[in-house]
Every structure is written in C-alpha cells, then in structure tokens.
Amino acid sequence: MDTDPFPSSPLSTEESNHSAMVTPGDMEGGRIEVPGPNDVLCGRGGSINSHQGNEQFRELVEKRKRVYLTARFKREKRLIASSIVSEIRGMNPTGRFLARQGNKDSGHWYDIGDEKA
C-alpha cells in the first residue's frame, strides 16, 4: 500500500472487462456509471473536491494526521492509511476509491483497489 493517505489523480490502467452492473461486494474493477455518496473520487476539480465521499475522506485524514506525521516507521504509516481505507470501505453504502476512465461525457468510473487507495 502506498504510504500517502491522499488519493492522487487517476492512474492509467487497462480498462476492466467486467459487466456494467456493480454489486456492493465488487471491491475492485467493474464499470461504475454514477458514484455513490460514500465513494472517494480520485482526481482534481471542484466537483470532485465537493463530492460527499471526498469530504468524509478529508475529515478522516484530518483526524489521523497528527498520529500519521509522528509515526516513526513505514509500517505504522501503512496501518494508519489502511485503517482509513477500511473505514471508507466499511460504510453503508459501501465506499469505494474511484478513478475515471475516459472523458466526462462518455467515460465511466472504476474502483482502483486497496493498494492504490
């Protein structure tokens, strides 16, 4: 897992060949047309920053920021970042970490998985 607890711009990966229907248990891959309220959107811009899931994510990061910055070992930092990812994934409805594939008009979102989150 990356030690940086902040999602970055979408990473280019090969497009998933999963079906268009994504179930709550589908934690990685799949085509997602509309992000849910607890989803964290990777990227830049006002609409991404103001998305409810991104605001919740920033609150979680802010709560753990001091502990993260004072952690002496990479393992500690990974555990803190992992706990944030787990808390987002454990929300109801499930929170995912999404990146956009394609453009705003004809593209879709996909789950980047825990490692990249």
Side-chain angles (χ1 to χ4, degrees):
M1 174 185 296
D2 196 346
T3 58
D4 184 1
F6 305 98
S8 59
S9 298
L11 302 169
S12 61
T13 60
E14 56 188 82
E15 186 172 347
S16 176
N17 289 328
H18 296 284
S19 67
M21 184 64 144
V22 178
T23 64
D26 185 11
M27 297 304 285
E28 190 170 348
R31 184 182 189 96
I32 301 162
E33 298 299 329
V34 179
N38 294 327
D39 291 337
V40 177
L41 309 181
C42 298
R44 298 169 48 167
S47 62
I48 288 177
N49 273 338
S50 63
H51 183 72
Q52 178 182 335
N54 288 54
E55 290 176 350
Q56 293 173 150
F57 173 76
R58 284 194 302 274
E59 288 174 16
L60 292 175
V61 169
E62 188 62 36
K63 286 180 190 176
R64 293 175 173 88
K65 187 175 181 179
R66 180 170 289 165
V67 175
Y68 182 88
L69 292 174
T70 58
R72 295 175 51 198
F73 303 104
K74 283 185 179 182
R75 183 176 187 281
E76 290 175 275
K77 292 186 177 205
R78 277 194 303 269
L79 288 172
I80 294 164
S82 179
S83 74
I84 294 170
V85 171
S86 294
E87 192 163 341
I88 294 289
R89 298 257 189 223
M91 291 179 167
N92 187 13
T94 299
R96 301 166 292 189
F97 290 82
L98 306 180
R100 185 180 290 283
Q101 177 76 37
N103 64 40
K104 191 173 186 175
D105 296 325
S106 64
H108 63 272
W109 295 93
Y110 66 96
D111 192 317
I112 64 172
D114 288 351
E115 284 297 312
K116 291 178 185 171

